Amino acid sequence: MSTSPARKILWAYVVLYIVILYFPVVLLPIFSFNDSATPTFPLKGFTFKWYEGLIGNETMLKAARNSLIVGSVASVGSTILGICAARAITRYRFRGKSAASGLIMAPLFLPEIIIAISLLVVLLGIGANLSLTTVMLGHLLICLPYSVTVLVSGFEGFDPSLEEAAQDLGAKPLRVLRLVTLPILAPAILSSLLVAFTISLDEFILAFFLSGSEPTLPVYIWGQLRFAAKLPNVLALGSLLIAASLILLTTAEIMRRRAERRLAGR
Amino acid sequence: MINISNVGRRYGTFVALEDIDLQIKAGEFFSLLGPSGCGKTTLLRLIGGFDVPSSGSISIDGAPMSGVPANHRPTNMVFQSYAIFPHLNVAENVAFGLNILNLTKAEKQARVDEALSRVRLVGLGSRMGSQLSGGQRQRVALARALVMKPKVLLLDEPLSALDKKLREEMQVELRQLQQDIGITFVLVTHDQYEALAMSDRIAVMFDGKIAQIAKPQEIYQNPTSRRVADFLGGMNFLETANMRLLGENVVADVAGFGTIANKRRGDEMIDPAKATLGIRPERLRIQWEDEKAKNEISGKVLSRHYFGEVTNLVVQVEGQPRPLSVVETNDFGADGIPVGSLVRIAYDEDAFVLMKE
C-alpha cells in the first residue's frame, strides 16, 4: 500500500469523521451498563439496573407503545397514499400534476416547527382534541414526501404493459394489483414502509406539539431529561432503541434485497 | 371476424385515428403496416380493449366490444416489450391467465405444457424471465397469450427487439404457427418486409388513416398512391407528360421511355391530372453488351451501393429529371459495372405502376 502524504491525510480524515459521527452513539450503550448515576469516565462497574428500571416503568412502556402505533399507522398510511400518488405521477398526464407533486414534497423543505405550529393552530381552530390521531396525521404529512420519492422510482422502473398484460389475460383490476403490481413493487413498498416508520419513530417536534396527553417515546425521553437522576434510564432506553433500529433496518434490507433478487431472477 | 366501422380516436386536439373501416376475416393473418406515429398501435389497442374509440364501433365475432374491457375480450396480446412478469417463472407466466379460469390442476398443467412445446420452450418452465434471451422472452409472451385459446391474437411489433437473423426465423415460425392453429392474427409492424412475408392481407396506414388494404403481392405491385409505393420498397417515380385516358388504358409520354400505355384495373377511377407512373428498381435490367431487348433505355451510372446480394445502381437516364435506381445482380463480375459507364437498361411493358395519386 502506498503511504503518500495525501493518502495519510485522507485516512486521518476518514478516521476523524467516523469517530465524530459514531463515538457519541457508542457512548450511549457503554454508559447504560455503567454502575453510576452520571455518565462520566472512569466507568464504575457493570450493571443491568438501569434496564431493570425500565421494565416496571408504565409511562415509558405506554410511550413506546404510542410510538409503535403512530409509526405503524403513519408508515402504512403514507405508503398507501404514496402508491396512489406515485402511480398518478408516473403514469398519467393531468392538469396540475407538477403543482400536486410540488405540494406533496413541500413538507420536506418547510421548517418542521412551522408545520407543527400551523397544524396546531388549524387543529385547535377546528376544535379537534390533541391525541395520537393528530400526531399520526402530522407524521403522515412529513412521511409522505419520502414515501412518494421511493415509490416514484419504483414505478419508473415498472413497465405499464405488465399491468395491461395481466388484464389481457383475464385479470380484474384488483387481481392485477394483487398479483402483478404489488409483488413487482414489493422492494419499493418495503423501503417506503421502513423509511416512513423510522422517520415517525424518532420525530420529536410534531409529536411534541400535537400529542396532547399521550406522549410518544421521543417526547417522553425529552421529558425525562429534566431529571438528572433519570438520565441512566434514558441511556438504557436509547440503547434499546438503537438495537431495535439496527435489527429492523437489517431485516428490512435483507428482505428488500431478497425481493429484488427474485425480480432480477438471480 | 373483426369489424371496425368508422372508428376514430382523438387525444384532445390530436387525431390519432380517423374514419377507420376495416374487416378482418376469421383465420386471417392481417398486418397493420406504417411508419411510427401512423396510428397502427392505437388501432391494435382499440381492438384489444386497452383504449376506447372516440367514435365508431368495433365488433369481434359478431359481438359489439363497446364497454367490454380487455379482460373480457376474446383477444390476447403479445406486447412489444413482451411484458414477462419478472416475479414469476416461465411456467407461472404461461399459467397466469389459466388461474382465472376454473380448471383442474391436471388440465392447467396439460395446457401449459402444450403451449410451451408449441413455442419450443419445453424444459424452461422453471426459468425466471430475466434469465431468458430476447427470442425466448418473445416465445414466452406468445405461449402466455396462446394458452388462453383466443379467437384473435394481437401482436404489437413482436419482432422489433430481435436481431435480423432471429427476426427472419421468427417470421417463418410465426406464420407457420398461425397456419397450424388457424386463429386470426393481427400484427402491427413498421417493417414492410415483415408484413409482406407473413400476411394474408396488409393495411398500410399513414397519419391515422388507412391508405390501402390488399394482399402482399397486390400492395407491392399495385400500390394506389406514391406514399404506399415509397413505403414498400424502392420506386422510381417517372416524369410524365400528357397523361390521358384512352379506352381501357392510361397513356402517358415518358421522357426517355417513349409512350407508355398502362391498363386500368377494373372500373377504378383514375384522374390523369393526379396520377403518377413509376417503375420498381428490380424491373429495370442492366443489359450485357451482346444482349438486345425489345424495350431499352440508356443511361450513365452515377453511383453504386453494394448490399451483398444485389447492388443498387443510380443511373441518369436521358430525359428524366431524377436519376433512376436500378438493381444490378452480382453476375456482372466481382467489381460490377464501374461508375461513369454507359449502360443499356431493359424493361417490360407491364412493369410500370400506375398510382392514383
Coordinates of all heavy atoms in Angstrom, one line a residue, chain A residues 190-254:
Chain A
L190 N -41.5 -1.9 0.6 CA -40.8 -2.2 1.8 C -39.9 -1.0 2.2 O -39.9 -0.6 3.4 CB -40.0 -3.4 1.6 CG -39.9 -4.5 2.7 CD1 -41.3 -5.0 2.9 CD2 -39.0 -5.6 2.4
S191 N -39.2 -0.4 1.2 CA -38.4 0.7 1.5 C -39.2 1.9 2.1 O -38.8 2.5 3.0 CB -37.7 1.2 0.3 OG -36.8 0.2 -0.2
S192 N -40.4 2.1 1.4 CA -41.2 3.2 1.8 C -41.7 3.0 3.3 O -41.7 3.9 4.1 CB -42.4 3.3 0.9 OG -43.5 4.0 1.5
L193 N -42.2 1.7 3.6 CA -42.7 1.4 4.9 C -41.6 1.7 5.9 O -41.8 2.3 7.0 CB -43.1 0.0 5.0 CG -44.4 -0.4 4.4 CD1 -44.6 -1.9 4.4 CD2 -45.6 0.3 5.1
L194 N -40.4 1.3 5.6 CA -39.3 1.4 6.5 C -38.8 2.8 6.8 O -38.7 3.3 7.9 CB -38.1 0.6 5.9 CG -36.9 0.5 6.8 CD1 -37.2 -0.4 8.0 CD2 -35.7 0.0 6.0
V195 N -38.7 3.5 5.7 CA -38.3 4.9 5.8 C -39.3 5.7 6.6 O -39.0 6.5 7.5 CB -38.1 5.6 4.4 CG1 -38.0 7.1 4.5 CG2 -36.9 5.0 3.7
A196 N -40.6 5.5 6.3 CA -41.6 6.3 7.0 C -41.7 5.9 8.4 O -41.8 6.8 9.3 CB -43.0 6.0 6.3
F197 N -41.5 4.6 8.7 CA -41.6 4.2 10.1 C -40.4 4.8 10.9 O -40.6 5.3 12.0 CB -41.5 2.6 10.2 CG -41.7 2.1 11.6 CD1 -43.0 2.0 12.1 CD2 -40.7 1.7 12.4 CE1 -43.2 1.5 13.4 CE2 -40.9 1.2 13.6 CZ -42.1 1.1 14.1
T198 N -39.2 4.8 10.4 CA -38.1 5.3 11.1 C -38.3 6.8 11.3 O -37.9 7.3 12.4 CB -36.8 5.1 10.2 OG1 -37.0 4.0 9.4 CG2 -35.6 4.8 11.1
I199 N -38.8 7.5 10.3 CA -39.0 8.9 10.4 C -40.0 9.2 11.6 O -39.7 10.1 12.4 CB -39.4 9.6 9.1 CG1 -38.3 9.6 8.1 CG2 -40.0 11.0 9.3 CD1 -38.7 10.0 6.7
S200 N -41.1 8.5 11.5 CA -42.1 8.7 12.5 C -41.6 8.4 13.9 O -41.9 9.1 14.9 CB -43.3 7.8 12.2 OG -44.2 7.8 13.3
L201 N -40.8 7.3 14.0 CA -40.4 6.8 15.3 C -39.5 7.8 16.1 O -39.7 8.0 17.3 CB -39.5 5.5 15.1 CG -39.4 4.6 16.4 CD1 -40.8 4.1 16.8 CD2 -38.5 3.5 16.1
D202 N -38.7 8.5 15.4 CA -37.8 9.5 16.1 C -38.2 10.9 15.9 O -37.4 11.8 16.2 CB -36.3 9.2 15.8 CG -35.9 9.7 14.4 OD1 -36.9 10.1 13.7 OD2 -34.8 9.7 14.1
E203 N -39.4 11.2 15.4 CA -39.8 12.5 15.1 C -40.2 13.2 16.4 O -41.0 12.6 17.2 CB -41.0 12.5 14.1 CG -41.2 13.8 13.4 CD -41.8 14.9 14.3 OE1 -42.6 14.5 15.3 OE2 -41.5 16.1 14.1
F204 N -39.7 14.4 16.7 CA -40.0 14.9 18.0 C -40.9 16.2 18.0 O -41.9 16.2 18.7 CB -38.7 15.3 18.7 CG -38.9 16.1 20.0 CD1 -39.4 15.5 21.1 CD2 -38.5 17.5 20.0 CE1 -39.6 16.2 22.3 CE2 -38.7 18.2 21.2 CZ -39.3 17.6 22.3
I205 N -40.6 17.1 17.1 CA -41.3 18.4 17.1 C -42.8 18.3 16.9 O -43.6 18.8 17.8 CB -40.7 19.4 16.1 CG1 -39.2 19.6 16.4 CG2 -41.3 20.7 16.1 CD1 -38.4 20.4 15.4
L206 N -43.2 17.6 15.9 CA -44.6 17.5 15.6 C -45.3 16.7 16.8 O -46.4 17.1 17.2 CB -44.9 16.7 14.3 CG -44.7 17.5 13.0 CD1 -44.8 16.6 11.8 CD2 -45.8 18.6 13.0
A207 N -44.6 15.6 17.2 CA -45.2 14.8 18.3 C -45.3 15.7 19.5 O -46.3 15.6 20.3 CB -44.3 13.6 18.5
F208 N -44.4 16.5 19.8 CA -44.4 17.3 21.0 C -45.5 18.3 20.9 O -46.2 18.5 21.9 CB -43.0 18.1 21.1 CG -42.9 19.0 22.2 CD1 -42.8 18.5 23.5 CD2 -42.9 20.4 22.0 CE1 -42.7 19.4 24.6 CE2 -42.9 21.3 23.1 CZ -42.7 20.7 24.4
F209 N -45.8 18.9 19.8 CA -46.9 19.9 19.7 C -48.2 19.2 19.6 O -49.2 19.8 20.1 CB -46.7 20.7 18.4 CG -45.8 21.9 18.6 CD1 -44.4 21.7 18.6 CD2 -46.3 23.2 18.8 CE1 -43.6 22.8 18.8 CE2 -45.4 24.3 19.0 CZ -44.1 24.1 19.0
L210 N -48.3 18.1 19.0 CA -49.6 17.5 18.7 C -50.1 16.4 19.6 O -51.2 15.9 19.4 CB -49.7 17.1 17.2 CG -49.3 18.1 16.2 CD1 -49.3 17.5 14.8 CD2 -50.3 19.3 16.2
S211 N -49.2 15.9 20.5 CA -49.6 14.6 21.1 C -50.5 14.8 22.3 O -51.0 13.8 22.8 CB -48.3 13.9 21.6 OG -47.6 14.7 22.5
G212 N -50.7 16.0 22.8 CA -51.6 16.2 24.0 C -51.1 15.4 25.2 O -49.9 15.5 25.5
S213 N -51.9 14.6 25.7 CA -51.5 13.9 27.0 C -51.0 12.5 26.7 O -50.8 11.7 27.6 CB -52.8 13.8 27.9 OG -53.8 13.1 27.2
E214 N -50.8 12.2 25.4 CA -50.3 10.9 25.0 C -48.9 11.0 24.4 O -48.8 11.0 23.2 CB -51.3 10.1 24.1 CG -52.6 9.9 24.8 CD -53.6 9.2 23.8 OE1 -54.2 9.9 23.0 OE2 -53.6 7.9 23.8
P215 N -47.9 11.0 25.2 CA -46.5 11.3 24.6 C -46.0 10.1 23.8 O -46.3 8.9 24.1 CB -45.6 11.5 25.8 CG -46.3 10.8 26.9 CD -47.8 10.9 26.6
T216 N -45.3 10.4 22.7 CA -44.6 9.3 22.0 C -43.2 9.2 22.7 O -42.9 10.0 23.6 CB -44.4 9.6 20.6 OG1 -43.6 10.8 20.5 CG2 -45.7 9.8 19.8
L217 N -42.4 8.2 22.3 CA -41.2 7.9 23.0 C -40.2 9.1 23.0 O -39.7 9.5 24.1 CB -40.5 6.7 22.4 CG -39.7 5.8 23.3 CD1 -40.4 5.6 24.6 CD2 -39.4 4.5 22.6
P218 N -40.0 9.8 21.9 CA -39.1 10.9 21.9 C -39.6 12.0 22.9 O -38.8 12.6 23.6 CB -39.1 11.4 20.5 CG -39.5 10.3 19.7 CD -40.4 9.5 20.5
V219 N -40.9 12.2 22.9 CA -41.5 13.2 23.8 C -41.2 12.8 25.3 O -40.9 13.6 26.1 CB -43.0 13.5 23.5 CG1 -43.6 14.5 24.5 CG2 -43.2 14.0 22.1
Y220 N -41.5 11.5 25.5 CA -41.2 11.0 26.9 C -39.8 11.2 27.3 O -39.5 11.7 28.4 CB -41.6 9.5 26.9 CG -41.2 8.8 28.2 CD1 -41.9 9.0 29.4 CD2 -40.0 8.1 28.2 CE1 -41.5 8.4 30.5 CE2 -39.6 7.4 29.4 CZ -40.3 7.6 30.5 OH -39.9 7.0 31.7
I221 N -38.8 10.8 26.4 CA -37.4 10.9 26.7 C -37.1 12.4 27.0 O -36.4 12.7 27.9 CB -36.6 10.4 25.5 CG1 -36.7 8.9 25.4 CG2 -35.1 10.8 25.6 CD1 -36.1 8.3 24.2
W222 N -37.6 13.3 26.2 CA -37.3 14.7 26.4 C -37.7 15.1 27.7 O -37.0 15.8 28.5 CB -38.0 15.5 25.3 CG -37.7 17.0 25.3 CD1 -36.6 17.6 24.9 CD2 -38.5 18.0 25.9 NE1 -36.6 18.9 25.1 CE2 -37.8 19.2 25.8 CE3 -39.7 18.0 26.6 CZ2 -38.2 20.4 26.3 CZ3 -40.2 19.2 27.1 CH2 -39.5 20.4 26.9
G223 N -38.9 14.6 28.1 CA -39.5 14.9 29.4 C -38.6 14.4 30.6 O -38.3 15.1 31.6
Q224 N -38.0 13.2 30.4 CA -37.2 12.6 31.4 C -35.9 13.4 31.6 O -35.2 13.3 32.7 CB -36.9 11.2 31.0 CG -38.1 10.3 31.0 CD -38.8 10.3 32.4 OE1 -38.3 9.9 33.4 NE2 -40.0 10.9 32.4
L225 N -35.4 14.0 30.5 CA -34.1 14.7 30.6 C -34.0 15.8 31.6 O -33.0 16.3 32.0 CB -33.7 15.2 29.2 CG -33.3 14.2 28.2 CD1 -32.9 14.8 26.9 CD2 -32.1 13.3 28.8
R226 N -35.2 16.3 32.0 CA -35.2 17.3 33.1 C -34.8 16.8 34.4 O -34.4 17.5 35.3 CB -36.6 17.9 33.2 CG -36.9 19.0 32.1 CD -38.3 19.4 32.2 NE -39.2 18.3 31.9 CZ -40.6 18.4 32.0 NH1 -41.1 19.5 32.4 NH2 -41.3 17.4 31.6
F227 N -34.9 15.5 34.6 CA -34.5 14.9 35.9 C -33.1 14.2 35.7 O -33.0 13.2 35.0 CB -35.5 13.9 36.4 CG -36.9 14.4 36.2 CD1 -37.8 13.9 35.3 CD2 -37.4 15.5 37.1 CE1 -39.1 14.4 35.2 CE2 -38.6 16.0 36.9 CZ -39.5 15.5 36.0
A228 N -32.1 14.7 36.3 CA -30.7 14.2 36.2 C -30.7 12.7 36.6 O -30.0 11.9 36.0 CB -29.7 15.0 37.0
A229 N -31.5 12.4 37.6 CA -31.4 11.0 38.1 C -32.0 10.0 37.1 O -31.6 8.8 37.2 CB -32.3 11.0 39.4
K230 N -32.8 10.5 36.2 CA -33.4 9.6 35.2 C -32.5 9.3 34.0 O -32.8 8.5 33.2 CB -34.7 10.1 34.7 CG -35.8 10.2 35.8 CD -36.4 8.8 36.0 CE -37.5 8.8 37.1 NZ -38.6 9.6 36.7
L231 N -31.4 10.1 34.0 CA -30.5 10.0 32.8 C -30.1 8.6 32.5 O -30.2 8.2 31.3 CB -29.3 11.0 32.9 CG -28.5 11.2 31.6 CD1 -29.4 11.7 30.5 CD2 -27.3 12.1 31.9
P232 N -29.6 7.8 33.4 CA -29.1 6.5 33.1 C -30.2 5.6 32.5 O -30.0 4.9 31.5 CB -28.6 5.9 34.4 CG -28.3 7.1 35.2 CD -29.3 8.2 34.8
N233 N -31.5 5.8 33.0 CA -32.6 5.1 32.4 C -32.8 5.5 30.9 O -33.0 4.6 30.1 CB -33.9 5.4 33.2 CG -33.9 4.7 34.5 OD1 -33.8 5.4 35.5 ND2 -33.9 3.4 34.5
V234 N -32.7 6.8 30.7 CA -32.8 7.3 29.3 C -31.8 6.7 28.4 O -32.0 6.3 27.3 CB -32.8 8.8 29.3 CG1 -32.7 9.3 27.8 CG2 -34.0 9.4 30.0
L235 N -30.5 6.6 29.0 CA -29.4 6.0 28.2 C -29.8 4.5 27.8 O -29.5 4.1 26.7 CB -28.1 6.1 29.0 CG -27.5 7.4 29.2 CD1 -26.2 7.4 29.9 CD2 -27.3 8.1 27.8
A236 N -30.3 3.8 28.8 CA -30.7 2.4 28.6 C -31.7 2.3 27.5 O -31.6 1.5 26.6 CB -31.1 1.8 29.9
L237 N -32.7 3.2 27.6 CA -33.8 3.2 26.7 C -33.3 3.5 25.3 O -33.6 2.9 24.3 CB -34.8 4.2 27.1 CG -36.1 4.4 26.2 CD1 -36.8 3.1 26.1 CD2 -37.0 5.5 26.8
G238 N -32.4 4.5 25.2 CA -31.8 4.9 23.9 C -31.0 3.7 23.3 O -31.1 3.5 22.1
S239 N -30.3 3.0 24.2 CA -29.5 1.8 23.7 C -30.4 0.8 23.1 O -30.2 0.2 22.0 CB -28.7 1.2 24.8 OG -27.9 2.2 25.4
L240 N -31.6 0.6 23.8 CA -32.5 -0.4 23.2 C -33.1 0.1 21.9 O -33.2 -0.7 21.0 CB -33.7 -0.5 24.2 CG -33.4 -1.3 25.5 CD1 -34.6 -1.4 26.4 CD2 -33.0 -2.8 25.1
L241 N -33.3 1.4 21.8 CA -33.8 1.9 20.5 C -32.8 1.7 19.4 O -33.2 1.4 18.3 CB -34.2 3.4 20.6 CG -35.5 3.7 21.3 CD1 -35.7 5.3 21.4 CD2 -36.6 3.2 20.4
I242 N -31.6 2.0 19.7 CA -30.5 1.8 18.7 C -30.5 0.3 18.2 O -30.5 0.0 17.0 CB -29.1 2.2 19.2 CG1 -29.1 3.7 19.4 CG2 -28.0 1.7 18.3 CD1 -27.8 4.1 20.1
A243 N -30.6 -0.6 19.2 CA -30.5 -2.0 18.9 C -31.8 -2.4 18.0 O -31.6 -3.0 17.0 CB -30.5 -2.8 20.2
A244 N -32.9 -1.9 18.4 CA -34.1 -2.2 17.7 C -34.0 -1.6 16.3 O -34.4 -2.3 15.3 CB -35.4 -1.6 18.4
S245 N -33.6 -0.4 16.1 CA -33.4 0.2 14.8 C -32.5 -0.6 13.9 O -32.8 -0.9 12.7 CB -32.9 1.6 14.8 OG -33.6 2.4 15.7
L246 N -31.4 -1.1 14.5 CA -30.4 -1.9 13.7 C -31.0 -3.1 13.2 O -30.9 -3.5 12.1 CB -29.2 -2.2 14.6 CG -28.1 -1.1 14.7 CD1 -27.0 -1.5 15.6 CD2 -27.6 -0.7 13.3
I247 N -31.8 -3.8 14.2 CA -32.4 -5.1 13.8 C -33.4 -4.9 12.7 O -33.4 -5.5 11.7 CB -33.0 -5.8 15.0 CG1 -32.0 -6.2 16.0 CG2 -33.9 -6.9 14.6 CD1 -32.4 -6.6 17.4
L248 N -34.2 -3.8 12.9 CA -35.3 -3.5 11.9 C -34.7 -3.2 10.5 O -35.1 -3.8 9.5 CB -36.1 -2.3 12.4 CG -37.3 -1.9 11.6 CD1 -38.4 -2.9 11.7 CD2 -37.8 -0.5 12.0
L249 N -33.7 -2.3 10.5 CA -33.1 -1.9 9.3 C -32.5 -3.1 8.6 O -32.6 -3.3 7.4 CB -32.0 -0.9 9.5 CG -32.5 0.6 9.6 CD1 -31.4 1.5 10.1 CD2 -32.9 1.0 8.2
T250 N -31.7 -3.9 9.3 CA -31.1 -5.1 8.7 C -32.1 -6.1 8.1 O -31.9 -6.5 7.0 CB -30.2 -5.8 9.8 OG1 -29.6 -4.8 10.6 CG2 -29.2 -6.7 9.1
T251 N -33.1 -6.4 8.9 CA -34.1 -7.4 8.4 C -34.8 -6.8 7.1 O -34.9 -7.5 6.1 CB -35.2 -7.7 9.4 OG1 -35.0 -6.9 10.6 CG2 -35.4 -9.1 9.7
A252 N -35.2 -5.5 7.2 CA -35.9 -5.0 6.1 C -35.0 -4.9 4.8 O -35.4 -5.2 3.7 CB -36.3 -3.6 6.4
E253 N -33.7 -4.6 5.1 CA -32.8 -4.6 3.9 C -32.6 -6.0 3.3 O -32.6 -6.1 2.1 CB -31.4 -4.0 4.4 CG -30.4 -3.7 3.3 CD -30.9 -2.8 2.2 OE1 -31.9 -2.0 2.4 OE2 -30.3 -2.8 1.1
I254 N -32.5 -7.0 4.2 CA -32.3 -8.3 3.7 C -33.6 -8.7 2.9 O -33.5 -9.3 1.8 CB -32.1 -9.3 4.9 CG1 -30.7 -9.1 5.5 CG2 -32.3 -10.8 4.4 CD1 -30.5 -9.9 6.8

